[in-house]
Amino acid sequence: MSEDQVTETAASSSKGRPAKKEAKANFFARIALFVRQIIGELKKVVAPTRKELINYTLVVLVFVAIMMVIVSLLDIGFGTAVGWVFGGTGPTDH
């Protein structure tokens, strides 16, 4: 495979280590860059509409209810099994 067929990322990563940056920016410059990057990412966030928010909430509530039923059934089942094994409520008790 020739280098022009490889993606640019793969081609650039196969050329060895990148050259070291000149000097690290000072502490406050790095903090300012970090804050600018945070603001840039927050501008990309899209708030859900009211309909979407209600839909997402209902999905979460239904999922939690289903999981509660599953966990409750498992708890009752394991509790009964443990009571049967260790409690002596089996068919050999008279």
Side-chain angles (χ1 to χ4, degrees), residues 52-73:
E52 289 173 333
L53 187 62
I54 291 171
N55 190 28
Y56 297 155
T57 303
L58 290 176
V59 167
V60 169
L61 290 175
V62 168
F63 176 77
V64 169
I66 291 170
M67 292 307 295
M68 284 173 50
V69 168
I70 291 171
V71 170
S72 297
L73 290 174

Side-chain angles (χ1 to χ4, degrees), residues 13 20 27 29-30 38-39 48 51 53 60 62 80 85 87 93:
S13 66
K20 248 188 168 178
F27 180 73
R30 287 184 289 170
I38 290 174
I39 292 171
K51 185 178 179 180
L53 187 62
V60 169
V62 168
T80 303
V85 170
D93 261 356

Side-chain angles (χ1 to χ4, degrees), residues 78-93:
F78 285 126
T80 303
V82 166
W84 183 74
V85 170
F86 296 111
T89 59
T92 57
D93 261 356

